């Protein structure tokens, strides 16, 4: 039974935890150009093991390590000409992990707006960016992913291009939006754009027709208010997979206080707010997902 049917039955669907941060935790160096994207090429065995670990922990959907592997993102690392090989390998490694597990899990192809070298001024021009995102979406679909997971969508320019590209291939599209709270202020702002009210990107993107909306790679205190804000505007299915810890380029810093038990406690609140797809993003591990699997979330 697929994730859509599970949600229609009002069941909880577990997804995996952080892939890039878990690769780092296992010794894979992160790239200054596109974070974990090069692991597909440099450490394929460890990437396969990460996928297998999440499946063993109970993930029913795993996300490919393609967050930073659009052509313009790979070009910043000097391997733009290897775009097709890198992305087909990323999907293949997820499929190999699924086959080795003997468990039927679904594979989500990740797409993001990660700026080349983490520099917002390094994006290609809009037409070239859209062309690269279209290329990415079509290749993921052709490689056999079950759905497209748009991750860290948070603005009104780059995010709609990613959404447009993903919708064109005909697969279900998960819209993953990212936000944070502002100390001493009310409301939410976009994760990397503190001057942008979070309402602006979600108002722009929700009308484009996602199959599911997730609050992902967001700080835990922002998840409940973000779910509430989205629910005011959207009556479709919801999900949540937040970050724990923090980032300083190019590495993730883990928070030892963010225990699996604490994630479970928060997840119960997200389920109470309507989320039916639950997991973790950067800083969460297979142990976090196993705790969600073993918990009574409802």
């Amino acid at each position: 039974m697929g994730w859509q049917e599970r949600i229609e039955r009002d069941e909880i669907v577990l997804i995996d935890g952080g892939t890039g941060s878990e690769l780092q935790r296992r010794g894979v160096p992160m790239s200054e150009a596109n974070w974990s994207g090069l692991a597909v090429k440099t450490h394929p065995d460890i990437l396969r093991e990460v996928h297998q670990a999440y499946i063993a922990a109970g993930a029913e959907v795993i996300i490919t390590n393609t967050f930073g592997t659009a052509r313009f993102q790979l070009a910043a690392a000097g391997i733009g000409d290897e775009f097709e090989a890198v992305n087909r390998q990323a999907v293949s490694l997820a499929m190999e992990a699924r086959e080795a597990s003997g468990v039927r899990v679904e594979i989500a192809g990740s797409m993001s707006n990660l700026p080349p070298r983490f520099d917002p001024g390094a994006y290609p021009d809009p037409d070239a960016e859209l062309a690269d995102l279209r290329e990415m979406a079509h290749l993921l679909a052709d490689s056999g992913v079950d759905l497209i997971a748009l991750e860290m969508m948070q603005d009104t320019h780059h995010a709609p291009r990613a959404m447009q590209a993903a919708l064109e291939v005909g697969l279900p599209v998960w819209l993953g939006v990212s936000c944070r709270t502002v100390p001493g202020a009310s409301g939410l702002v976009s994760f990397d754009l503190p001057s942008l009210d979070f309402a602006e990107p979600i108002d722009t993107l929700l009308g484009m027709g996602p199959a599911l909306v997730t609050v992902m790679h967001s700080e835990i205190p922002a998840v409940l208010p973000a779910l509430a804000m989205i629910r005011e505007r959207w009556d479709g299915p919801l999900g949540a997979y937040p970050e724990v810890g923090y980032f300083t380029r190019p590495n993730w810093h883990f928070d030892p206080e963010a225990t699996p038990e604490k994630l479970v406690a928060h997840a119960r609140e997200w389920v109470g707010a309507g989320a039916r797809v639950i997991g973790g993003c950067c800083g969460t591990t297979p142990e976090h997902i196993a705790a969600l699997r073993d918990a009574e979330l409802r």
Side-chain angles (χ1 to χ4, degrees), residues 60-142:
E60 298 160 297
V61 178
I62 58 173
I63 302 175
T64 60
N65 187 51
T66 53
F67 180 86
T69 58
R71 187 179 294 274
F72 66 86
Q73 294 160 339
L74 290 177
I79 59 168
D81 59 342
E82 297 183 50
F83 163 79
E84 182 168 354
V86 166
N87 284 285
R88 289 196 185 278
Q89 173 80 334
V91 178
S92 178
L93 290 167
M95 289 181 168
E96 290 171 17
R98 176 173 66 184
E99 183 176 357
S101 75
V103 178
R104 173 58 191 172
V105 300
E106 294 183 272
I107 296 173
S110 173
M111 290 177 56
S112 80
N113 295 128
L114 180 70
R117 300 181 299 277
F118 301 91
D119 177 7
Y123 280 114
D125 68 64
D127 288 343
E129 181 186 6
L130 178 58
D132 281 5
L133 291 168
R134 280 175 164 153
E135 179 186 42
M136 179 75 170
H138 281 274
L139 189 142
L140 288 171
D142 186 66

Side-chain angles (χ1 to χ4, degrees), residues 205-218:
L205 296 165
L206 289 179
M208 296 182 74
L212 177 140
V213 180
T214 63
V215 179
M216 55 79 58
H217 197 86
S218 300

